[in-house]
Amino acid sequence: MNQLPEQDLPPGRHRLLKEHLMTEIRHPDEAVAKPRKRWVRPALTAAAVATVAAVTFTVLPSSGGADAGPRITSAAALLEDVALAAEHQHGYGRIRDDQFVYVDIEKTFFETGPDGKAVSVPLYRKESWVSVDGTRKTLVRDGRDGSELSNPPAPRGQEIYADFISYDFLRSLPADPDAMYDYLVETPPRLLQFAWIDIPVLGFGDEYDTHQTVLQLTGRLLNGSIVPPAQSAALYRAVARIPGVTVIKDSVDARGRHGVGITRTDTKLPVRLEWTFDKKTYELLGQRSTLTRDYRGLKKGTVISDTAVQRRAVVDKAGERP
């Protein structure tokens, strides 16, 4: 029997190929309309896997040089590679409870001004120091107005609704993709306010569809902190199950950095959410929201919220920069 060309496949591609083959065997409408509740890893014959591999190789670009980027076939394929990279991310070393997670971002957005009209906020820097165990105050330096705030930690049981979430709380979330997906789907009804918090030009009456709210919530968890490897991978694999998520081969963040991305358009609001990943490391660089039609006095194509992460690190005390 011929050997399978495993050495030529990117990390995690074999598992994805198996799932893709089983999806093709099923009725295509069933696969889209009713996502699997559990991750199925069927046993396939070597011939079947080889067939899928051969088909995949015909559409994948050649590996090329160092700047060729990832081999993109679908959002699920990209997110699986991102999940695998997150799963093996241990660059922060041993993280102690008495330390702080430092996140340095640049952001811009539209908000509603005093006269009711949308106003653009210029790109500005925002730094935060969040207690690892969630027991100490969060320090926030806001470059927009030069303010420095010290916020008390979120009450027990309400961490998910806070602006800043502790590493220990994130570590308490499910590490299994199915359980994580269920957790995210069950949580959003109380999180519709985040449409207003993350994109101020939207009002409380502007509600995302359920899947967009899940994506918005997941983006908050991933963008504003350091997520433990197991939970980070589970979040990306849960996002891969959301219908309507597609690939952008050239995505750009708020700092102008080019990468590869995923995107999804809300079915209720004219808002398209986009995530940008580094093409080599798969690190999440930024997130943006764009209008898909004229809305609230703004033109179609207007970027109404844009965030880029400059740096994440673990430091010993609030206010300390790495």
Side-chain angles (χ1 to χ4, degrees):
M1 182 178 295
N2 294 332
Q3 293 292 322
L4 294 179
E6 296 187 14
Q7 67 275 15
D8 294 329
L9 292 179
R13 189 70 74 221
H14 274 293
R15 175 166 67 179
L16 195 67
L17 293 177
K18 293 179 182 180
E19 293 189 359
H20 172 72
L21 178 61
M22 294 307 294
T23 300
E24 292 299 315
I25 292 173
R26 298 188 186 95
H27 192 283
D29 293 337
E30 177 185 343
V32 173
K34 190 175 181 181
R36 293 190 306 275
K37 190 67 176 176
R38 290 288 174 254
W39 289 59
V40 180
R41 296 179 177 84
L44 300 180
T45 65
V49 177
T51 299
V52 179
V55 172
T56 304
F57 285 137
T58 63
V59 297
L60 291 177
S62 61
S63 57
D67 297 326
R71 298 176 174 183
I72 306 165
T73 56
S74 67
L78 173 60
L79 286 165
E80 177 59 21
D81 286 341
V82 172
L84 283 163
E87 208 166 35
H88 294 87
Q89 172 58 261
H90 299 287
Y92 300 104
R94 178 178 174 271
I95 300 176
R96 304 191 313 270
D97 284 348
D98 63 340
Q99 292 181 300
F100 288 79
V101 170
Y102 169 77
V103 180
D104 183 6
I105 67 173
E106 289 187 5
K107 62 187 303 183
T108 179
F109 53 82
F110 273 88
E111 62 182 353
T112 303
D115 59 357
K117 295 182 179 179
V119 179
S120 177
V121 174
L123 190 69
Y124 69 97
R125 184 183 186 187
K126 189 172 185 178
E127 299 172 278
S128 63
W129 290 262
V130 182
S131 169
V132 167
D133 64 5
T135 64
R136 298 163 181 81
K137 289 185 177 181
T138 294
L139 176 64
V140 181
R141 289 179 181 162
D142 195 325
R144 180 183 178 186
D145 56 12
S147 64
E148 182 169 300
L149 302 175
S150 184
N151 300 323
R156 181 72 63 180
Q158 298 183 33
E159 294 93 340
I160 194 68
Y161 309 110
D163 283 339
F164 300 95
I165 301 175
S166 72
Y167 184 87
D168 270 11
F169 174 76
L170 291 167
R171 187 161 47 191
S172 74
L173 298 182
D176 174 75
D178 294 313
M180 179 67 84
Y181 181 81
D182 292 341
Y183 172 81
L184 294 169
V185 170
E186 291 164 4
T187 302
R190 292 179 59 188
L191 294 171
L192 294 176
Q193 59 177 314
F194 284 167
W196 181 82
I197 293 173
D198 290 336
I199 310 177
V201 75
L202 300 181
F204 280 106
D206 296 331
E207 297 183 359
Y208 291 126
D209 69 40
T210 298
H211 288 110
Q212 197 79 353
T213 309
V214 168
L215 192 60
Q216 188 78 18
L217 168 60
T218 306
R220 287 177 60 85
L221 297 177
L222 290 165
N223 205 50
S225 185
I226 291 172
V227 184
Q231 284 72 24
S232 183
L235 284 167
Y236 286 120
R237 287 176 176 137
V239 168
R241 299 180 58 178
I242 297 175
V245 178
T246 58
V247 164
I248 298 178
K249 293 189 177 182
D250 185 22
S251 180
V252 185
D253 73 358
R255 298 185 65 198
R257 295 174 298 186
H258 288 257
V260 61
I262 60 167
T263 185
R264 184 183 187 273
T265 299
D266 190 84
T267 61
K268 292 183 177 181
L269 291 175
V271 177
R272 180 172 62 85
L273 184 60
E274 178 181 341
W275 294 1
T276 303
F277 301 98
D278 185 280
K279 289 184 178 181
K280 296 179 181 178
T281 66
Y282 295 111
E283 180 183 7
L284 180 61
L285 299 177
Q287 303 177 37
R288 70 172 38 170
S289 294
T290 305
L291 290 179
T292 57
R293 62 175 170 80
D294 294 355
Y295 191 69
R296 289 186 174 271
L298 296 173
K299 296 295 184 180
K300 174 183 177 180
T302 300
V303 176
I304 55 176
S305 177
D306 207 357
T307 302
V309 178
Q310 294 197 67
R311 188 166 188 182
R312 298 180 182 89
V314 179
V315 296
D316 290 334
K317 59 182 181 180
E320 177 185 345
R321 292 189 177 104

